[in-house]
Amino acid sequence: MEAYSDFARVYDIFMDNVEYEKWAEYLIGSLKEYGIEDGIVLELGCGTGVMTELLAESGYDMIGVDNSEEMLGEAMEKRAESGHEILYLEQDMREFELYGTVRAVVSVCDCMNYITEEDDLLTVFKLVNNYLDPDGIFIFDMNTPYKYREMLGNTTIAENREEGSFIWENEFDEEAGINVYDLTLFLPREDGLYERDEEIHYQKAYDPEKVRELLEKAGLIPLAVYDAYTKDAPKPDSGRLTFVAREHGKEIPSDEK
């Protein structure tokens, strides 16, 4: 798994099109729907802490896990400004460790797609199951194979701003199910020149049925799959899906199966 480094300092600027507030409202509503109105919530792949802060603002005791020191540095700056008591841990999702269990686990912005091996994704799901309270809820999103094939595959995205510029090249290997992000950054320096940095990231396209299978193998109960951040069923052209699963604490009522 690649960790964001230099891109961390401009990540929030270039990701200002992400509807974090809308997503947070959805997550909070979903958690409350399952009776989780307070308590400890873990965010996997918390990045710069935007979502972590929004959930903390709603009264949850937040833990954020990410494997990028630079991204967590940005998150901790937000924490200092907000005053929220958020615990940030620099850990790989495939090996994360907590001091105890949590009421819920969330993950947004296709962080799970960065797990490019099925066995590793299964390991993440097993760890989630291990650290969830009985009947705890796991909510996460993933990009779909359709998105990589039809929306991102073999495209180039470029953007120029005062704070910096980037060129984002995508290459999708459909047979392997791997999308390669080649990200080139041009960030301004104090002397008026630009510093060029390059990062390469890899994401895996998982079929929703495979995700469900891995959740079940990890001991979690898949409850629902939606067109991302809605209650609508997945569509053939859905670019992102939201998955909801439960820790295997009790028998699930028939209307939730």
Side-chain angles (χ1 to χ4, degrees):
M1 289 176 62
E2 294 288 336
Y4 285 102
S5 53
D6 289 310
F7 191 45
R9 54 186 158 132
V10 292
Y11 182 88
D12 290 337
I13 295 171
F14 288 122
M15 297 292 285
D16 60 2
N17 63 323
V18 176
E19 298 179 301
Y20 284 111
E21 289 80 6
K22 178 182 175 182
W23 292 5
E25 182 179 351
Y26 180 90
L27 290 176
I28 293 164
S30 296
L31 291 174
K32 290 183 176 180
E33 180 182 336
Y34 291 101
I36 302 173
E37 300 192 10
D38 54 19
I40 302 175
V41 174
L42 166 68
E43 183 182 3
L44 290 176
C46 65
T48 63
V50 176
M51 182 61 71
T52 329
E53 286 285 344
L54 290 169
L55 294 177
E57 183 68 28
S58 293
Y60 294 102
D61 300 318
M62 295 302 300
I63 300 173
V65 165
D66 203 279
N67 70 332
S68 168
E69 178 182 358
E70 291 82 2
M71 295 287 267
L72 289 177
E74 298 294 321
M76 286 186 277
E77 286 188 17
K78 292 183 179 70
R79 182 183 64 185
E81 293 175 2
S82 70
H84 292 138
E85 295 184 1
I86 300 170
L87 173 63
Y88 284 114
L89 301 172
E90 184 183 341
Q91 297 182 346
D92 189 315
M93 286 190 291
R94 298 166 294 186
E95 302 174 343
F96 76 88
E97 295 183 48
L98 304 179
Y99 303 112
T101 58
V102 299
R103 298 200 68 191
V105 177
V106 300
S107 185
V108 302
C109 281
D110 45 85
C111 289
M112 291 296 157
N113 291 103
Y114 278 99
I115 309 297
T116 58
E117 298 292 336
E118 286 185 14
D119 287 346
D120 287 341
L121 188 59
L122 176 60
T123 296
V124 173
F125 290 169
K126 286 181 176 179
L127 286 170
V128 168
N129 187 39
N130 181 58
Y131 285 109
L132 275 176
D133 284 345
D135 300 320
I137 294 297
F138 181 28
I139 306 174
F140 62 99
D141 70 30
M142 295 187 85
N143 285 340
T144 63
Y146 176 87
K147 182 172 183 176
Y148 293 114
R149 185 177 61 250
E150 304 294 339
M151 301 169 69
L152 289 180
N154 303 313
T155 64
T156 299
I157 302 169
E159 190 167 336
N160 182 37
R161 300 196 187 190
E162 183 178 340
E163 299 86 356
S165 305
F166 74 84
I167 301 173
W168 172 18
E169 296 178 278
N170 294 277
E171 182 178 346
F172 181 53
D173 183 335
E174 187 162 4
E175 183 176 350
I178 298 293
N179 194 79
V180 181
Y181 299 92
D182 192 334
L183 180 64
T184 305
L185 301 168
F186 300 91
L187 303 177
R189 304 189 318 203
E190 292 183 0
D191 61 7
L193 299 177
Y194 283 79
E195 178 181 338
R196 183 180 184 273
D197 292 288
E198 186 171 355
E199 297 183 9
I200 298 178
H201 298 258
Y202 302 87
Q203 287 193 334
K204 171 82 170 181
Y206 287 95
D207 185 272
E209 285 304 312
K210 173 56 67 174
V211 177
R212 182 184 181 91
E213 175 189 324
L214 294 175
L215 287 168
E216 291 177 338
K217 286 181 70 173
L220 293 160
I221 301 172
L223 298 180
V225 183
Y226 300 112
D227 190 48
Y229 301 102
T230 73
K231 295 297 185 181
D232 299 333
K235 305 176 180 65
D237 61 351
S238 292
R240 189 192 301 269
L241 300 177
T242 298
F243 295 82
V244 183
R246 171 180 270 159
E247 195 276 340
H248 207 311
K250 64 182 180 183
E251 184 68 22
I252 302 302
S254 59
D255 61 350
E256 293 186 17
K257 290 183 177 179

